[in-house]
Amino acid sequence: MKNRILYFLKEERGTYVSGEEISNRLGISRAGVWKHINSLREEGYEIDSKSRLGYMLIGEPDLLLPSQVSYGLSTEVIGKVIHHSMEMVSTNREARALADEGKPEGTVVVTERQTDGKGRLGRTWLSPPGGIWLSVILRPGFQPLHAPKLTLVAAVAVAKTLREEAHLDTKIKWPNDVYIGSRKICGILTEMSAELDRINYVVLGIGVNANVDVAPFPPEIRDRATSIMMELGKPISRVALLRALLTQFERTYFLFLREGFEPIRQEIKADSYTLGRWVKVRHGKKDIEGEAVDIDKDGALLVRTIEGRMVTIVSGDVGEEQKTSTIYNA
Ligand code: BTN
Protein backbone atom coordinates (compact mmCIF):
# COMPACT_ATOMS: atom_id res chain seq x y z
CA MET A 1 0.00 0.00 0.00
CA LYS A 2 2.88 2.32 0.85
CA ASN A 3 4.18 1.96 -2.70
CA ARG A 4 0.75 2.60 -4.20
CA ILE A 5 0.60 5.88 -2.29
CA LEU A 6 4.10 6.75 -3.44
CA TYR A 7 3.28 5.97 -7.08
CA PHE A 8 0.13 8.05 -6.83
CA LEU A 9 2.17 11.00 -5.51
CA LYS A 10 4.75 10.45 -8.26
CA GLU A 11 2.03 10.55 -10.93
CA GLU A 12 0.61 13.74 -9.46
CA ARG A 13 4.01 15.32 -8.96
CA GLY A 14 3.86 19.11 -8.83
CA THR A 15 0.38 19.20 -7.32
CA TYR A 16 -1.03 18.64 -3.88
CA VAL A 17 -3.23 15.59 -3.49
CA SER A 18 -5.67 15.55 -0.61
CA GLY A 19 -5.62 12.79 1.97
CA GLU A 20 -9.26 12.25 1.16
CA GLU A 21 -8.57 11.67 -2.52
CA ILE A 22 -5.78 9.19 -1.75
CA SER A 23 -7.99 7.45 0.75
CA ASN A 24 -10.89 7.18 -1.75
CA ARG A 25 -8.73 6.12 -4.67
CA LEU A 26 -6.83 3.45 -2.77
CA GLY A 27 -9.58 2.39 -0.38
CA ILE A 28 -7.80 3.01 2.91
CA SER A 29 -8.57 5.23 5.87
CA ARG A 30 -7.18 8.76 6.21
CA ALA A 31 -5.23 7.57 9.24
CA GLY A 32 -3.77 4.80 7.09
CA VAL A 33 -2.68 7.35 4.48
CA TRP A 34 -1.01 9.44 7.17
CA LYS A 35 0.81 6.41 8.58
CA HIS A 36 2.20 5.43 5.17
CA ILE A 37 3.18 9.02 4.35
CA ASN A 38 5.22 9.11 7.56
CA SER A 39 6.84 5.82 6.76
CA LEU A 40 7.81 7.14 3.29
CA ARG A 41 9.30 10.20 4.97
CA GLU A 42 11.37 7.93 7.18
CA GLU A 43 12.75 6.26 4.02
CA GLY A 44 13.91 9.69 2.86
CA TYR A 45 11.06 10.88 0.65
CA GLU A 46 10.34 14.58 1.10
CA ILE A 47 6.59 14.98 1.20
CA ASP A 48 5.17 18.39 1.91
CA SER A 49 1.78 18.64 3.55
CA LYS A 50 -0.51 21.64 3.62
CA SER A 51 -3.78 21.81 5.48
CA ARG A 52 -6.77 21.74 3.10
CA LEU A 53 -4.48 20.97 0.12
CA GLY A 54 -2.95 17.65 1.07
CA TYR A 55 0.37 16.06 0.20
CA MET A 56 2.96 16.72 -2.50
CA LEU A 57 6.11 14.76 -3.29
CA ILE A 58 8.99 17.22 -3.48
CA GLY A 59 12.09 15.12 -3.14
CA GLU A 60 13.20 11.50 -3.50
CA PRO A 61 16.15 9.83 -1.82
CA ASP A 62 19.06 8.76 -4.00
CA LEU A 63 18.81 5.23 -2.69
CA LEU A 64 18.18 1.93 -4.42
CA LEU A 65 14.96 1.41 -2.49
CA PRO A 66 12.59 -1.24 -3.85
CA SER A 67 9.89 1.43 -4.04
CA GLN A 68 12.12 3.47 -6.36
CA VAL A 69 13.52 0.67 -8.50
CA SER A 70 10.17 -1.09 -8.98
CA TYR A 71 8.49 2.05 -10.27
CA GLY A 72 8.21 1.54 -14.03
CA LEU A 73 10.13 -1.76 -13.95
CA SER A 74 8.37 -4.07 -16.38
CA THR A 75 10.36 -7.30 -16.03
CA GLU A 76 8.57 -10.62 -15.71
CA VAL A 77 10.85 -12.36 -13.22
CA ILE A 78 14.04 -10.44 -12.43
CA GLY A 79 13.55 -7.93 -9.62
CA LYS A 80 9.90 -8.73 -8.95
CA VAL A 81 11.03 -8.95 -5.35
CA ILE A 82 13.85 -6.68 -4.20
CA HIS A 83 15.55 -6.84 -0.80
CA HIS A 84 17.35 -3.65 0.13
CA SER A 85 19.17 -2.39 3.16
CA MET A 86 21.53 0.49 3.78
CA GLU A 87 24.44 -1.80 4.60
CA MET A 88 25.20 -5.47 4.13
CA VAL A 89 28.26 -7.61 4.66
CA SER A 90 27.87 -8.91 1.11
CA THR A 91 24.82 -9.10 -1.15
CA ASN A 92 26.02 -12.50 -2.38
CA ARG A 93 26.09 -13.78 1.17
CA GLU A 94 22.62 -12.37 1.84
CA ALA A 95 21.26 -13.76 -1.44
CA ARG A 96 22.63 -17.23 -0.70
CA ALA A 97 20.89 -17.20 2.68
CA LEU A 98 17.62 -16.17 1.00
CA ALA A 99 18.07 -18.80 -1.71
CA ASP A 100 18.67 -21.45 0.99
CA GLU A 101 15.34 -20.37 2.48
CA GLY A 102 13.73 -21.06 -0.89
CA LYS A 103 13.29 -17.54 -2.27
CA PRO A 104 12.34 -17.70 -5.96
CA GLU A 105 14.24 -17.06 -9.16
CA GLY A 106 14.62 -13.37 -9.92
CA THR A 107 14.88 -12.25 -6.29
CA VAL A 108 17.27 -9.30 -6.15
CA VAL A 109 19.37 -8.21 -3.17
CA VAL A 110 20.85 -4.74 -3.26
CA THR A 111 22.62 -2.50 -0.79
CA GLU A 112 24.16 0.96 -0.53
CA ARG A 113 27.46 -0.35 0.84
CA GLN A 114 29.06 -3.68 1.64
CA THR A 115 31.30 -4.09 4.64
CA ASP A 116 32.96 -7.23 3.28
CA GLY A 117 32.13 -7.43 -0.43
CA LYS A 118 33.44 -10.59 -2.06
CA GLY A 119 35.54 -10.60 -5.19
CA ARG A 120 36.84 -13.57 -7.11
CA LEU A 121 39.59 -15.80 -5.80
CA GLY A 122 38.90 -14.80 -2.21
CA ARG A 123 39.65 -11.14 -2.84
CA THR A 124 37.81 -8.28 -1.19
CA TRP A 125 35.57 -6.08 -3.31
CA LEU A 126 35.57 -2.47 -2.14
CA SER A 127 31.97 -1.32 -2.00
CA PRO A 128 31.50 2.24 -0.74
CA PRO A 129 28.22 4.18 -1.06
CA GLY A 130 27.52 5.32 -4.62
CA GLY A 131 28.01 1.96 -6.28
CA ILE A 132 25.45 -0.58 -7.38
CA TRP A 133 26.11 -3.72 -5.39
CA LEU A 134 23.58 -6.38 -6.21
CA SER A 135 22.95 -10.09 -6.39
CA VAL A 136 20.30 -12.00 -8.31
CA ILE A 137 19.00 -15.45 -7.40
CA LEU A 138 18.57 -17.74 -10.42
CA ARG A 139 17.18 -21.26 -10.54
CA PRO A 140 17.87 -22.44 -14.08
CA GLY A 141 16.75 -25.92 -15.09
CA PHE A 142 19.97 -26.79 -16.94
CA GLN A 143 22.93 -28.89 -15.84
CA PRO A 144 25.48 -27.36 -13.42
CA LEU A 145 28.24 -27.50 -16.03
CA HIS A 146 26.52 -24.69 -17.95
CA ALA A 147 26.42 -22.33 -14.94
CA PRO A 148 29.70 -20.49 -15.73
CA LYS A 149 28.05 -19.20 -18.91
CA LEU A 150 25.75 -17.13 -16.68
CA THR A 151 28.72 -14.94 -15.79
CA LEU A 152 29.10 -14.15 -19.47
CA VAL A 153 25.35 -13.55 -19.81
CA ALA A 154 25.61 -11.00 -17.01
CA ALA A 155 28.72 -9.39 -18.50
CA VAL A 156 26.92 -8.90 -21.82
CA ALA A 157 23.93 -7.36 -20.02
CA VAL A 158 26.09 -4.96 -17.97
CA ALA A 159 28.18 -3.92 -20.98
CA LYS A 160 25.05 -3.20 -23.01
CA THR A 161 23.34 -1.31 -20.20
CA LEU A 162 26.32 0.98 -19.62
CA ARG A 163 26.59 1.57 -23.35
CA GLU A 164 22.92 2.43 -23.74
CA GLU A 165 22.33 4.34 -20.51
CA ALA A 166 25.67 6.09 -20.04
CA HIS A 167 27.05 6.04 -23.62
CA LEU A 168 30.24 4.39 -22.42
CA ASP A 169 32.42 2.29 -24.69
CA THR A 170 32.30 -0.92 -22.67
CA LYS A 171 34.29 -4.05 -23.39
CA ILE A 172 34.06 -7.49 -21.82
CA LYS A 173 37.22 -8.84 -20.28
CA TRP A 174 36.84 -12.60 -20.22
CA PRO A 175 35.21 -14.00 -18.21
CA ASN A 176 33.69 -11.65 -15.70
CA ASP A 177 34.77 -8.03 -15.94
CA VAL A 178 33.48 -5.03 -17.82
CA TYR A 179 36.11 -2.52 -18.85
CA ILE A 180 36.29 1.03 -20.12
CA GLY A 181 39.62 1.46 -21.88
CA SER A 182 42.06 -0.44 -19.68
CA ARG A 183 40.12 0.08 -16.44
CA LYS A 184 37.59 -2.08 -14.70
CA ILE A 185 34.15 -0.62 -14.08
CA CYS A 186 32.27 -3.79 -13.09
CA GLY A 187 33.09 -7.19 -11.65
CA ILE A 188 30.87 -10.26 -11.51
CA LEU A 189 31.00 -13.09 -8.99
CA THR A 190 28.90 -16.18 -9.70
CA GLU A 191 28.31 -18.68 -6.94
CA MET A 192 26.31 -21.87 -7.12
CA SER A 193 24.68 -24.49 -4.96
CA ALA A 194 24.22 -27.71 -6.90
CA GLU A 195 23.98 -31.45 -6.85
CA LEU A 196 25.82 -33.50 -9.44
CA ASP A 197 23.17 -33.12 -12.10
CA ARG A 198 20.94 -30.35 -10.78
CA ILE A 199 21.35 -26.70 -9.88
CA ASN A 200 19.68 -25.68 -6.63
CA TYR A 201 20.44 -22.04 -7.27
CA VAL A 202 22.95 -19.64 -8.73
CA VAL A 203 23.71 -16.29 -7.11
CA LEU A 204 24.97 -13.80 -9.61
CA GLY A 205 26.74 -10.92 -7.87
CA ILE A 206 27.31 -7.76 -9.86
CA GLY A 207 29.33 -4.79 -8.64
CA VAL A 208 29.13 -1.63 -10.76
CA ASN A 209 31.27 1.36 -9.85
CA ALA A 210 28.55 3.86 -10.56
CA ASN A 211 28.96 7.08 -8.54
CA VAL A 212 32.14 5.92 -6.87
CA ASP A 213 35.37 7.84 -6.55
CA VAL A 214 38.20 5.33 -6.76
CA ALA A 215 40.84 7.85 -5.59
CA PRO A 216 40.82 6.60 -1.96
CA PHE A 217 41.26 2.95 -3.06
CA PRO A 218 44.69 1.32 -2.59
CA PRO A 219 46.96 2.12 -5.59
CA GLU A 220 46.95 -1.42 -7.03
CA ILE A 221 43.15 -1.23 -7.36
CA ARG A 222 42.80 2.49 -8.02
CA ASP A 223 45.16 2.42 -11.00
CA ARG A 224 43.10 -0.22 -12.75
CA ALA A 225 39.60 0.92 -11.81
CA THR A 226 37.16 3.51 -13.01
CA SER A 227 33.55 4.48 -12.40
CA ILE A 228 30.67 5.86 -14.41
CA MET A 229 30.88 9.14 -12.51
CA MET A 230 34.58 9.46 -13.27
CA GLU A 231 34.07 8.65 -16.94
CA LEU A 232 31.15 11.07 -17.38
CA GLY A 233 32.40 13.77 -15.04
CA LYS A 234 29.04 13.75 -13.26
CA PRO A 235 26.94 11.29 -11.27
CA ILE A 236 24.33 9.12 -12.92
CA SER A 237 20.87 8.16 -11.63
CA ARG A 238 21.60 4.84 -9.98
CA VAL A 239 17.91 3.99 -9.72
CA ALA A 240 17.37 4.38 -13.47
CA LEU A 241 20.57 2.47 -14.16
CA LEU A 242 19.62 -0.44 -11.92
CA ARG A 243 16.18 -0.61 -13.50
CA ALA A 244 17.76 -0.68 -16.96
CA LEU A 245 20.26 -3.32 -15.86
CA LEU A 246 17.58 -5.63 -14.47
CA THR A 247 15.58 -5.23 -17.67
CA GLN A 248 18.61 -5.90 -19.86
CA PHE A 249 19.71 -8.83 -17.74
CA GLU A 250 16.29 -10.46 -18.00
CA ARG A 251 16.29 -9.99 -21.78
CA THR A 252 19.76 -11.53 -22.12
CA TYR A 253 19.05 -14.36 -19.67
CA PHE A 254 15.80 -15.27 -21.45
CA LEU A 255 17.63 -15.19 -24.80
CA PHE A 256 20.20 -17.61 -23.40
CA LEU A 257 17.50 -19.94 -22.03
CA ARG A 258 15.61 -19.83 -25.32
CA GLU A 259 18.36 -19.94 -27.92
CA GLY A 260 21.39 -21.25 -26.08
CA PHE A 261 24.83 -19.76 -25.77
CA GLU A 262 25.57 -18.91 -29.41
CA PRO A 263 23.96 -15.42 -29.49
CA ILE A 264 25.71 -14.55 -26.22
CA ARG A 265 29.02 -15.81 -27.62
CA GLN A 266 28.61 -13.57 -30.65
CA GLU A 267 28.01 -10.53 -28.43
CA ILE A 268 31.03 -11.30 -26.29
CA LYS A 269 33.22 -11.71 -29.33
CA ALA A 270 31.99 -8.43 -30.79
CA ASP A 271 32.67 -6.52 -27.56
CA SER A 272 35.68 -8.38 -26.26
CA TYR A 273 38.53 -6.68 -24.47
CA THR A 274 40.49 -9.93 -24.38
CA LEU A 275 40.41 -11.37 -27.89
CA GLY A 276 43.39 -10.45 -30.01
CA ARG A 277 45.51 -9.66 -26.96
CA TRP A 278 48.64 -11.36 -25.80
CA VAL A 279 47.79 -12.88 -22.49
CA LYS A 280 49.35 -14.79 -19.69
CA VAL A 281 46.95 -17.29 -18.22
CA ARG A 282 47.32 -19.33 -15.09
CA HIS A 283 46.23 -22.81 -16.11
CA GLY A 284 46.21 -25.18 -13.15
CA LYS A 285 49.64 -24.71 -11.65
CA LYS A 286 51.25 -23.47 -14.86
CA ASP A 287 51.32 -20.11 -16.57
CA ILE A 288 50.48 -20.16 -20.24
CA GLU A 289 51.34 -17.33 -22.56
CA GLY A 290 49.82 -16.70 -25.91
CA GLU A 291 47.27 -14.90 -27.99
CA ALA A 292 43.63 -14.99 -26.95
CA VAL A 293 42.04 -16.07 -30.19
CA ASP A 294 38.48 -17.18 -29.55
CA ILE A 295 35.67 -17.95 -27.16
CA ASP A 296 34.38 -21.46 -27.78
CA LYS A 297 30.81 -22.78 -27.75
CA ASP A 298 31.05 -23.40 -23.99
CA GLY A 299 32.32 -19.92 -23.17
CA ALA A 300 35.92 -21.06 -22.65
CA LEU A 301 38.83 -18.94 -23.83
CA LEU A 302 41.10 -20.35 -26.53
CA VAL A 303 44.72 -19.29 -26.30
CA ARG A 304 47.32 -20.00 -29.00
CA THR A 305 50.70 -20.40 -27.35
CA ILE A 306 54.04 -19.32 -28.80
CA GLU A 307 54.61 -22.92 -29.93
CA GLY A 308 51.30 -22.80 -31.82
CA ARG A 309 49.47 -25.05 -29.34
CA MET A 310 45.79 -24.27 -28.65
CA VAL A 311 44.90 -24.26 -24.96
CA THR A 312 41.32 -24.17 -23.73
CA ILE A 313 40.85 -22.16 -20.55
CA VAL A 314 37.58 -23.13 -18.92
CA SER A 315 35.65 -21.45 -16.15
CA GLY A 316 35.96 -22.32 -12.48
CA ASP A 317 34.32 -25.22 -10.78
CA VAL A 318 31.09 -25.72 -8.83
CA GLY A 319 30.60 -23.49 -5.79
CA GLU A 320 33.12 -20.83 -6.50
CA GLU A 321 33.87 -18.84 -9.54
CA GLN A 322 36.99 -19.16 -11.63
CA LYS A 323 39.22 -20.93 -9.18
CA THR A 324 41.30 -22.55 -11.87
CA SER A 325 42.25 -19.71 -14.15
CA THR A 326 43.29 -16.12 -14.00
CA ILE A 327 44.12 -13.93 -16.92
CA TYR A 328 46.61 -11.10 -16.99
CA ASN A 329 47.43 -8.63 -19.67
CA ALA A 330 50.95 -9.07 -20.82
C1 BTN B 1 35.49 -9.59 -9.06
O1 BTN B 1 35.74 -8.90 -10.03
O2 BTN B 1 36.39 -10.05 -8.35
C2 BTN B 1 34.05 -9.85 -8.72
C3 BTN B 1 33.45 -8.75 -7.91
C4 BTN B 1 31.99 -8.96 -7.57
C5 BTN B 1 31.46 -7.89 -6.64
C6 BTN B 1 29.98 -7.98 -6.43
S1 BTN B 1 29.34 -6.59 -5.57
C7 BTN B 1 27.82 -7.38 -5.34
C8 BTN B 1 28.11 -8.84 -5.07
N1 BTN B 1 28.30 -9.06 -3.64
C9 BTN B 1 29.55 -9.39 -3.34
O3 BTN B 1 29.98 -9.60 -2.20
N2 BTN B 1 30.29 -9.46 -4.46
C10 BTN B 1 29.49 -9.19 -5.64
Side-chain angles (χ1 to χ4, degrees), residues 5-13 37 47 55 57:
I5 294 178
L6 173 66
Y7 297 167
F8 192 30
L9 293 177
K10 276 181 185 251
E11 275 152 29
E12 301 296 326
R13 198 189 292 268
I37 293 275
I47 301 169
Y55 304 101
L57 181 64

Side-chain angles (χ1 to χ4, degrees), residues 90-92 114 117-120 125 134 177 184 187-188 205-207:
S90 150
T91 57
N92 266 34
Q114 300 184 116
K118 283 169 74 175
R120 284 195 314 141
W125 180 261
L134 86 140
D177 295 339
K184 178 161 164 172
I188 299 163
I206 304 176

Side-chain angles (χ1 to χ4, degrees), residues 143-157:
Q143 295 279 312
L145 73 106
H146 297 295
K149 292 176 189 149
L150 290 170
T151 305
L152 298 164
V153 169
V156 165

Side-chain angles (χ1 to χ4, degrees), residues 89-93 109 111 114 116-127 132-135 176-177 184 186-191 203-208 321:
V89 172
S90 150
T91 57
N92 266 34
R93 191 170 111 158
V109 179
T111 190
Q114 300 184 116
D116 193 13
K118 283 169 74 175
R120 284 195 314 141
L121 307 166
R123 296 188 195 113
T124 295
W125 180 261
L126 295 172
S127 319
I132 298 182
W133 321 124
L134 86 140
S135 300
N176 75 323
D177 295 339
K184 178 161 164 172
C186 165
I188 299 163
L189 176 68
T190 307
E191 299 185 278
V203 164
L204 205 59
I206 304 176
V208 182
E321 180 68 1

